[in-house]
């Protein structure tokens, strides 16, 4: 007779479950394979070929902060693969009434197949993942935005080929997207030059782990010279609104305008995760100009995350 005490209801796959919380959760080979798969999924989608690889699978999405692209791309992506997505706003779930994030995680593991979280604090995603038996995806935290990296790298590969060895410039606040780009520079082996004021540098630990792939300067022009791509983001991120005035002042010299863009390669591309503030971090002339690939970049969120969902759920 089996001992009932040993008949634990705990799933046995707990330790092998894969998450995508930070870029190094993927190996460089896996990251490149996901880009290839995203490009393939994009072409299937353009040819309107149906694909039902995630039939009957459900994604739960928890958004503590606003989103247009992340919500829409994950929800549309699940639908297009034959699955379903549920949006859980803390305001109208028990999270808003104080149910612990780890209890929420355990419950969702019993009901859905994958979870995506956008949180104020990175530690919230880590707590959720620490007890999760299903894959957990970081849909942006105060520290990182790894899903944006999948789409950005897909976009660079489509426009300019493999990014290995390329020189990329970041202009502006050393924020979550910048931290993710540093991790990605190490992973995919490119040179990242970050131009930012001393008060708004990226995370020191992440910078130190970059194995020399990322360097910081206060000289915007030097950063842009001979760059294959220039990347920027809003100066005030979600949650930093009270610092808006100081940030606008300190970051003003880091606005990307046509003159700075002209310092880069002739065929350099401009990337921005969006939403953008024209006249702050980038001029309208640049973001709406011929070197800007921001709409392709936003669209690639859909394809890159479909590739990620298939990777996490099917491999
Ligand atoms: N780039 C990005 O993550 O956009 P959303 O905030 O609209 O999701
Ligand atoms: N750095 C921005 C990115 C938004 C997608 C923020 O965190 O608000």
């Amino acid at each position: 007779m089996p001992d009932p005490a040993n008949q634990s209801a705990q799933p046995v796959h707990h330790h092998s479950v894969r998450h995508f919380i930070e870029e190094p959760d993927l190996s460089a080979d896996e990251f490149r394979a996901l880009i290839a798969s995203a490009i393939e999924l994009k072409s299937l989608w353009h040819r309107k070929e149906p694909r039902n690889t995630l039939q009957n699978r459900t994604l739960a999405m928890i958004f503590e902060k606003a989103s247009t692209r992340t919500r829409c791309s994950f929800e549309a992506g699940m639908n297009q693969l034959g699955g379903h997505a549920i949006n859980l706003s803390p305001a109208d779930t028990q999270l808003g009434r104080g149910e612990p994030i780890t209890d929420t995680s355990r419950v969702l593991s019993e009901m859905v197949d994958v979870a995506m979280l956008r949180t104020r604090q990175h530690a919230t995603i880590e707590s959720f993942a620490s007890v999760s038996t299903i894959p957990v995806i970081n849909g942006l935290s105060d520290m990182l935005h790894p899903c944006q990296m999948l789409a950005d790298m897909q976009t660079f590969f489509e426009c300019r080929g493999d990014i290995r060895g390329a020189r990329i410039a970041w202009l502006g606040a050393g924020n979550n997207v910048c931290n993710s780009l540093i991790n990605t520079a190490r992973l995919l082996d490119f040179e990242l030059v970050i131009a930012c004021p001393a008060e708004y540098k990226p995370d020191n630990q992440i910078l130190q782990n970059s194995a020399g792939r990322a360097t910081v300067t206060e000289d915007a022009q030097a950063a842009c010279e001979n760059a294959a791509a220039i990347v920027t983001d809003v100066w005030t991120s979600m949650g930093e609104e009270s610092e808006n005035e100081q940030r606008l002042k300190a970051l003003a010299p880091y606005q990307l305008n046509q003159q700075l863009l002209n310092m880069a390669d002739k065929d350099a591309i401009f990337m921005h995760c969006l939403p953008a503030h024209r006249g702050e971090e980038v001029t309208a002339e640049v973001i709406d100009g011929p070197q800007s690939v921001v709409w392709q970049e936003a669209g690639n969120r859909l394809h890159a995350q479909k590739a990620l969902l298939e990777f996490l759920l099917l491999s």
Side-chain angles (χ1 to χ4, degrees):
M1 278 282 282
D3 175 1
N6 282 339
Q7 296 199 320
S8 155
Q10 293 302 312
V12 289
H13 58 267
H14 186 94
H15 292 289
S16 62
V17 67
R18 296 285 302 263
H19 302 307
F20 187 52
I21 296 171
E22 50 183 42
E23 295 75 14
D25 287 341
L26 296 174
S27 69
D29 284 350
E30 286 169 341
F31 203 112
R32 283 194 166 79
L34 278 187
I35 294 170
S37 156
I39 290 170
E40 172 66 19
L41 287 170
K42 184 174 181 173
S43 105
L44 287 179
W45 186 73
H46 281 300
R47 300 201 306 264
K48 296 195 164 42
E49 287 189 27
R51 187 174 175 95
N52 289 306
T53 46
L54 300 185
Q55 206 158 17
N56 297 324
R57 306 293 185 107
T58 307
L59 164 71
M61 306 188 288
I62 296 175
F63 283 100
E64 290 183 354
K65 296 192 273 205
S67 168
T68 298
R69 280 144 287 267
T70 304
R71 177 174 175 184
C72 195
S73 52
F74 270 111
E75 192 160 333
M78 282 303 289
N79 286 339
Q80 289 168 21
L81 296 174
H84 182 71
I86 307 172
N87 182 37
L88 299 166
S89 139
D92 40 54
T93 60
Q94 299 291 3
L95 277 169
R97 298 181 55 255
E99 184 166 20
I101 192 74
T102 42
D103 288 2
T104 305
S105 175
R106 286 191 162 96
V107 169
L108 291 179
S109 280
E110 301 289 328
M111 296 180 183
V112 304
D113 303 276
V114 52
M116 188 241 67
L117 285 82
R118 166 168 288 193
T119 60
R120 280 184 287 277
Q121 294 178 336
H122 190 74
T124 305
I125 303 179
E126 288 183 332
S127 301
F128 185 99
S130 70
V131 296
S132 178
T133 61
I134 58 172
V136 176
I137 298 170
N138 178 356
L140 181 146
S141 67
D142 57 346
M143 186 64 76
L144 295 170
H145 196 2
C147 291
Q148 187 68 48
M149 291 303 112
L150 291 174
D152 285 12
M153 293 303 110
Q154 180 188 347
T155 307
F156 188 92
F157 277 55
E158 287 171 341
C159 296
R160 301 284 309 251
D162 197 308
I163 199 165
R164 182 183 280 121
R167 182 180 159 87
I168 309 298
W170 172 274
L171 237 51
N175 64 11
N176 45 7
V177 178
C178 181
N179 289 334
S180 276
L181 201 55
I182 298 171
N183 278 341
T184 309
R186 181 188 175 144
L187 199 58
L188 299 188
D189 199 12
F190 60 86
E191 184 195 345
L192 177 63
V193 188
I194 298 154
C196 67
E199 347 41 313
Y200 298 114
K201 280 192 183 165
D203 183 82
N204 203 36
Q205 193 62 52
I206 291 177
L207 205 51
Q208 292 195 344
N209 286 343
S210 82
R213 301 301 192 290
T215 52
V216 176
T217 173
E218 289 184 40
D219 186 343
Q221 189 167 318
C224 293
E225 274 166 14
N226 307 118
I230 303 181
V231 193
T232 189
D233 186 12
V234 289
W235 289 340
T236 301
S237 284
M238 292 182 278
E240 298 171 343
E241 290 80 2
S242 66
E243 302 170 9
N244 191 42
E245 212 176 311
Q246 297 130 262
R247 285 178 166 271
L248 261 53
K249 225 184 274 161
L251 285 149
Y254 299 87
Q255 181 189 67
L256 179 61
N257 54 34
Q258 192 62 44
Q259 196 190 335
L260 272 178
L261 184 56
N262 291 345
M263 312 294 304
D265 280 0
K266 215 160 57 6
D267 52 355
I269 54 172
F270 167 64
M271 294 200 281
H272 189 310
C273 63
L274 306 179
H277 290 174
R278 287 172 178 76
E280 291 184 15
E281 74 274 9
V282 62
T283 59
E285 185 183 17
V286 168
I287 195 172
D288 299 317
Q291 285 168 274
S292 172
V293 295
V294 297
W295 313 124
Q296 176 180 346
E297 178 186 5
N300 283 343
R301 295 291 302 281
L302 172 68
H303 313 296
Q305 287 157 201
K306 284 164 76 177
L308 174 69
L309 288 162
E310 286 193 351
F311 171 78
L312 291 174
L313 289 171
L314 303 177
S315 60

